[in-house]
Amino acid sequence: MMLMGAQAGGSNNGEKFMTTAARRPATLDDVARAAGVSRSTASRVLAGNGFASPTARERVRTAVNLLGYVPNPAARALVHGSGVRLLIAVAGTGPAVLDDPYVDQAVAAVARACTPHGLGVAVQWVPLGAPERLTQLTEDRGVAGLVLLNTTPALLDLVPRRLRGRAVSIGIGSATVPSVDIDNGGGTAAIVRHLYDAGRRRIAMVTGPRWLACANRSVGAYRRLLHDAGLPAREVVGDFSAARGYAAAREVLRRWPDTDAIVGISDATALGVIGRLRADGIRVPEDVAVTGFDDIPLAATVALTTASHPVRQIITAAATMVLEHREAPETTVFPSALVVRGSA
Amino acid sequence: MMLMGAQAGGSNNGEKFMTTAARRPATLDDVARAAGVSRSTASRVLAGNGFASPTARERVRTAVNLLGYVPNPAARALVHGSGVRLLIAVAGTGPAVLDDPYVDQAVAAVARACTPHGLGVAVQWVPLGAPERLTQLTEDRGVAGLVLLNTTPALLDLVPRRLRGRAVSIGIGSATVPSVDIDNGGGTAAIVRHLYDAGRRRIAMVTGPRWLACANRSVGAYRRLLHDAGLPAREVVGDFSAARGYAAAREVLRRWPDTDAIVGISDATALGVIGRLRADGIRVPEDVAVTGFDDIPLAATVALTTASHPVRQIITAAATMVLEHREAPETTVFPSALVVRGSA
DNA sequence: CTGAAAGCGCTAACAT
DNA sequence: ATGTTAGCGCTTTCAG
């Protein structure tokens, strides 16, 4: 509680007089002085490593609490040459990729993971056609680590040495950049199998953009299963958005009027599909079953059958890997869990 | 394009030999050396202010491009005592407030605004019952600015002097902290009026948590309009979530079975309400009209009548205020626009 | 076990 | 107009 009073009085122990009002945050020097030790000793105590007598330890600890000392990350970063923020680089065709709620979630999750470490987050779009733009971004000494989103192989190759062990990719990885990924293939397979088991035989899919590796794994799984069952694939290209799903639904039914199930590459896509279908008087799931992917909060509310992934956890895991500079396995795959609800 | 080749060769001009491989990012010293001027001169031309001959300017510029120089924000922050990230402090009853997609969006939007300035973002929850926790957070020299979310008056009072002019509140403001806000009252009034004009007379509302000032403005407007029309208010407390809307819908109809319209405090709430209604065989909007608030992307897809606010722009405006350290008017109110779609 | 001293990269007086 | 000089707050050899 009333720490501030104590601080205001205590922080100027060795000073001639208490200056005006602006109690500026305490520095390590203040702590050292208050503890009656040298700056170096104080630093050692705080670092946890290095030698220090129990007495010194104790006194420094007290001083820190008393003054409410918080290390200045800029100073630390400067001496360590380590940077002060994590960069989230999102590949995409245009800056609009950053408008995706999925990116919002990723940024927020990384920010939450960074905050306790005294680091901030920055986001930037990297043009799909000019991956070398990433180099400019990593040139910045302020960048302490890198999280790649919508990663492409070209991007992976451009991660500089300086960031080795401080970079992670959500999606595909490489020999030098570990990755954290979802088992899209398995998830989609489970969905398609569920549809098949429910008697659906004319199953279409609204896909994601072709350049996205992780989306392609879903599409691949869809094709394989249909192929194995001797069924033809029915694909319409989408872009993860509800708006595109809305349009795509009509295209699917125009091209293949007897379609009895539509697999959405994402929940938003599926929601769009359902919106269009209902608007056209087509019953879901009676006439056409619809499935999503990701299990966003809204999915439960509208009873969407989908595959669930702990996106937040995944991103947090990724952020933690770079924050703690951990030697990581080349790839960590998170499972996908089928969630059967009303829409299929 | 092939800048890297040029850099690798050029950056060690005055050195004895080119060391191994690790081309570390160029420093201002490197630039100065390459340009044949002193560090200060280089610093001046980069700062834009200060004197410098056209020649010097030119040479420094060239050197910067050649070396791909990017200033080290940590060093800058250190000398300016300015901090390296913006803190987004979110008040709420528990850490779960951070799970809200609205917060995700805010964090991401602020991050986007910060990135060009070389700043990162951090997010933290501030317990509603212990606003003084904010003080600990702002004690950190790394904090360059503050964005308050779900602000309460107690919080506003705890913004330290150091952050004067570098803090902004989304929602209510104070004499020392400017605010950026939505005209919730006006927006809600427009919605209720629309419902009334459409002949609805038994209008209920699923509200937000009581402690939230901005939510209360909506509730206030709802009450006022109903009161003026000689109609009774029908309120059920919600929390912005779809899940709560889902539950609240049933409560509304249990307490007032003849309800013919439900005003949701948020789109998510409204979506939940609609889900429950439809599941119970109640037609929307024929039997009960439903409205939301905010116009999230999904609203258009499911034809939700709502009030639209450029949330991203609003947050960006807020972030920009603190980034550019602008003298801001005490309050900037963004308008709310009624969007009539199918649900009401 | 502890203190003195150097220096991370940059800016801002203060001399030229 | 330009260079020289002090630091900003912290970590880290290197001597005691």
Side-chain angles (χ1 to χ4, degrees):
Chain A
M1 307 299 106
M2 288 277 60
L3 263 183
M4 298 198 46
Q7 288 163 20
S11 69
N12 290 325
N13 263 345
E15 310 289 317
K16 298 273 198 333
F17 51 85
M18 281 185 43
T19 44
T20 52
R23 181 181 58 78
R24 43 117 244 258
T27 78
L28 186 56
D29 261 321
D30 298 332
V31 172
R33 211 171 304 135
V37 301
S38 76
R39 209 170 50 220
S40 345
T41 304
S43 177
R44 276 183 220 113
V45 173
L46 288 167
N49 57 28
F51 303 90
S53 65
T55 341
R57 268 193 161 58
E58 176 54 22
R59 307 185 59 173
V60 171
R61 289 261 138 75
T62 318
V64 165
N65 291 329
L66 190 64
L67 279 74
Y69 170 73
V70 181
N72 182 330
R76 268 224 244 260
L78 182 55
V79 59
H80 282 142
S82 55
V84 292
R85 64 196 165 186
L86 247 57
L87 208 212
I88 304 182
V90 189
T93 50
V97 280
L98 298 183
D99 294 333
D100 189 325
Y102 169 67
V103 174
D104 286 353
Q105 197 184 7
V107 173
V110 175
R112 280 169 77 168
C114 285
T115 303
H117 293 252
L119 288 178
V121 201
V123 227
Q124 232 156 33
W125 160 60
V126 178
L128 215 51
E132 68 278 8
R133 200 70 65 79
L134 180 67
T135 308
Q136 285 169 35
L137 304 177
T138 54
E139 204 76 30
D140 186 333
R141 269 257 151 111
V143 173
L146 186 61
V147 176
L148 260 17
L149 234 58
N150 292 358
T151 322
T152 63
L155 232 37
L156 254 8
D157 288 342
L158 288 167
V159 174
R161 263 205 205 55
R162 183 173 77 83
L163 259 22
R164 286 285 166 81
R166 300 210 158 274
V168 61
S169 162
I170 315 275
I172 60 171
S174 74
T176 57
V177 182
S179 76
V180 171
D181 206 350
I182 291 171
D183 180 15
N184 304 60
T188 304
I191 284 177
V192 175
R193 213 170 286 125
H194 167 74
L195 256 13
Y196 188 91
D197 290 347
R200 311 283 171 168
R201 290 296 180 274
R202 295 176 298 273
I203 306 170
M205 180 169 200
V206 179
T207 71
R210 289 195 209 291
W211 56 269
L212 239 195
C214 61
N216 285 336
R217 286 204 309 266
S218 284
V219 178
Y222 159 80
R223 284 182 193 159
R224 199 166 323 111
L225 257 79
L226 259 58
H227 177 84
D228 292 352
L231 300 171
R234 305 172 164 195
E235 297 172 18
V236 170
V237 177
D239 63 2
F240 289 107
S241 76
R244 184 73 195 100
Y246 196 80
R250 191 162 262 184
E251 189 178 338
V252 166
L253 290 180
R254 189 178 51 69
R255 293 170 59 181
W256 308 286
D258 64 346
T259 297
D260 61 8
I262 300 179
V263 176
I265 189 74
S266 72
D267 283 347
T269 303
L271 259 8
V273 167
I274 293 179
R276 171 86 272 167
L277 258 28
R278 293 236 167 94
D280 284 355
I282 297 168
R283 290 168 312 159
V284 176
E286 293 82 354
D287 302 326
V288 176
V290 178
T291 62
F293 207 78
D294 272 351
D295 197 21
I296 60 176
L298 219 77
T301 313
V302 303
L304 181 67
T305 291
T306 188
S308 182
H309 320 114
V311 177
R312 202 149 224 145
Q313 280 177 50
I314 294 171
I315 310 260
T316 305
T320 307
M321 277 172 57
V322 354
L323 288 169
E324 305 189 345
H325 201 167
R326 274 218 289 268
E327 281 312 314
E330 197 164 314
T331 296
T332 311
V333 177
F334 282 76
S336 177
L338 179 66
V339 181
V340 178
R341 289 195 273 247
S343 73
Chain B
M1 305 300 105
M2 288 274 63
L3 261 182
M4 298 197 47
Q7 289 161 19
S11 68
N12 290 324
N13 263 344
E15 309 288 318
K16 299 270 200 330
F17 51 85
M18 281 184 44
T19 44
T20 52
R23 183 182 56 80
R24 43 112 243 250
T27 79
L28 186 56
D29 262 321
D30 297 333
V31 172
R33 211 171 304 135
V37 302
S38 77
R39 211 170 47 221
S40 352
T41 304
S43 177
R44 273 184 222 113
V45 334
L46 286 169
N49 57 29
F51 303 90
S53 66
T55 341
R57 268 193 162 57
E58 175 54 23
R59 307 185 58 172
V60 172
R61 290 261 137 77
T62 318
V64 164
N65 291 329
L66 190 64
L67 278 70
Y69 170 74
V70 182
N72 182 331
R76 269 225 244 260
L78 182 56
V79 61
H80 282 143
S82 55
V84 291
R85 67 203 153 166
L86 246 57
L87 208 213
I88 303 182
V90 189
T93 51
V97 280
L98 297 183
D99 293 334
D100 190 326
Y102 169 66
V103 174
D104 287 353
Q105 198 184 7
V107 173
V110 175
R112 281 170 76 168
C114 285
T115 302
H117 292 252
L119 288 178
V121 236
V123 227
Q124 252 181 353
W125 160 60
V126 178
L128 215 51
E132 69 279 7
R133 199 69 65 78
L134 180 67
T135 308
Q136 286 170 34
L137 304 178
T138 54
E139 204 76 30
D140 187 332
R141 270 257 151 107
V143 173
L146 187 62
V147 176
L148 260 17
L149 233 58
N150 292 358
T151 322
T152 63
L155 232 38
L156 254 9
D157 288 343
L158 288 167
V159 174
R161 263 203 206 58
R162 183 173 77 83
L163 258 23
R164 286 285 166 77
R166 300 208 158 272
V168 61
S169 162
I170 314 276
I172 60 170
S174 74
T176 56
V177 182
S179 76
V180 172
D181 207 351
I182 290 170
D183 180 15
N184 303 61
T188 304
I191 285 178
V192 175
R193 214 171 285 124
H194 167 73
L195 255 13
Y196 188 90
D197 291 346
R200 312 284 172 165
R201 290 296 180 274
R202 295 177 298 271
I203 306 171
M205 179 169 201
V206 178
T207 71
R210 290 196 209 291
W211 56 270
L212 239 195
C214 61
N216 285 335
R217 285 205 308 266
S218 284
V219 178
Y222 159 81
R223 284 182 192 158
R224 198 167 322 112
L225 258 80
L226 259 60
H227 177 83
D228 291 354
L231 300 172
R234 304 171 162 194
E235 297 171 19
V236 169
V237 177
D239 63 0
F240 290 107
S241 76
R244 184 73 194 100
Y246 195 81
R250 192 162 260 185
E251 189 178 339
V252 166
L253 290 181
R254 190 178 51 69
R255 291 171 60 182
W256 308 285
D258 64 346
T259 296
D260 61 7
I262 300 179
V263 175
I265 188 75
S266 72
D267 283 346
T269 303
L271 260 7
V273 167
I274 293 178
R276 170 88 270 167
L277 259 27
R278 293 235 167 97
D280 285 355
I282 296 166
R283 292 169 308 159
V284 177
E286 294 80 356
D287 303 326
V288 177
V290 178
T291 62
F293 207 77
D294 271 351
D295 197 20
I296 61 176
L298 219 78
T301 315
V302 303
L304 181 67
T305 291
T306 188
S308 182
H309 320 114
V311 176
R312 202 149 224 147
Q313 279 178 49
I314 294 171
I315 310 258
T316 305
T320 308
M321 277 174 57
V322 354
L323 287 170
E324 305 188 345
H325 202 166
R326 275 219 289 268
E327 281 311 315
E330 197 164 315
T331 298
T332 311
V333 178
F334 281 76
S336 178
L338 179 66
V339 181
V340 178
R341 288 195 272 247
S343 73

